[in-house]
Structures are given as C-alpha cells and as structure tokens.
Amino acid sequence: MKVSEAPRTATSIIVRSTASARITQSKNPFLELMRRVFRKEEVALKAIKFVTLVEERQKSGNPLRVDEWEETMRMLEMNRSSFYSMRNKLLGAGMIAIRNGEYRLSGMFSRDLMDMARWWWTVVLGNDPESL
C-alpha cells in the first residue's frame, strides 16, 4: 500500500536506523518522537503540549473532554482544522484515545511498535523471540 492510499486515520512515523538518531539519545526524547510524527516542528511542539495536557488532566481525575475543543484550540493557539489534524494523527498513531467523550493516553502506539519489532526479530531475522 502506498502512503497516499492509506486510510485518513493512518499516521506515518519516520524511522531512523542510525544509533545517533535514537530517541533515547536525544536531549528531548518527547520532541524527537513528535518530530517523527509531525513534519513541522511548530506542530510537534503543540502536540507535546496537547499530550501533556491530556496526561495531566487524566492524572488529576479531571480528564480533558472532547467538548472542550474550543478552549484547547485557544490554549494551543491553533485553528480548528490544524487542531483536528494534529489530534487525528495522535489518535491514528495510538498515542491517545477517546473514551466516553474524554481524551486518554493510549498504549496502542507501544503495542504496535513492539509487534513490528517482534515480527522483524523473529520472522525476518529468524531469531528466538525470547532473545529480543
């Protein structure tokens, strides 16, 4: 499947193979991760703010509600189409989810990456899954 044929809810991520480009080697791993999802650094920075807001509100017991979109857009200084484009990329990547009208952090992103890594390690490279 070509990237242009991917569903609108799909999210592309840039994968770099050099050891020096590892996210964990970055001074700001969160920014480096978001730079791989968003083409513009400005949007990557706003995505960090949005995910951080979702996390803080979730931890405080007052989750960010979907119907708070206008206040969230103002806080992020984004117009409606840019906000929803950013939000949809985060949803498509599995970093956030919507449950009962509330934004929540999601583990789907991690599970998908682990699934890809496990498949590559075992099927393509022929290694024992326990050695991953």
Side-chain angles (χ1 to χ4, degrees), residues 98-120:
I98 297 174
R99 279 188 235 116
N100 300 321
E102 300 170 343
Y103 291 110
R104 301 283 184 170
L105 297 180
S106 173
M108 287 306 298
F109 177 70
S110 298
R111 286 188 207 99
D112 197 28
L113 291 176
M114 289 177 10
D115 181 56
M116 284 187 274
R118 192 175 301 107
W119 174 82
W120 183 262

Side-chain angles (χ1 to χ4, degrees), residues 36-100:
R36 293 174 184 225
V37 176
F38 298 96
R39 292 185 180 169
K40 294 181 180 177
E41 182 148 344
E42 176 186 347
V43 180
L45 291 167
K46 290 179 184 203
I48 290 170
K49 286 182 183 178
F50 181 63
V51 171
T52 302
L53 177 63
V54 170
E55 177 185 24
E56 288 171 353
R57 294 276 301 267
Q58 184 175 325
K59 285 181 178 177
S60 75
N62 180 26
L64 182 64
R65 298 201 43 83
V66 173
D67 60 15
E68 295 180 60
W69 63 272
E70 289 181 281
E71 300 88 39
T72 305
M73 282 182 354
R74 275 195 292 279
M75 192 255 321
L76 296 173
E77 298 177 345
M78 298 179 86
N79 64 39
R80 187 175 182 170
S81 64
S82 296
F83 170 72
Y84 278 102
S85 176
M86 176 204 64
R87 180 203 82 151
N88 290 345
K89 277 187 170 266
L90 294 169
L91 285 166
M95 293 178 175
I96 63 170
I98 297 174
R99 279 188 235 116
N100 300 321

Side-chain angles (χ1 to χ4, degrees), residues 5-22:
E5 297 170 350
R8 292 189 71 189
T9 56
T11 299
S12 299
I13 185 166
I14 297 168
V15 177
R16 298 195 174 106
S17 60
T18 61
S20 63
R22 288 189 178 137

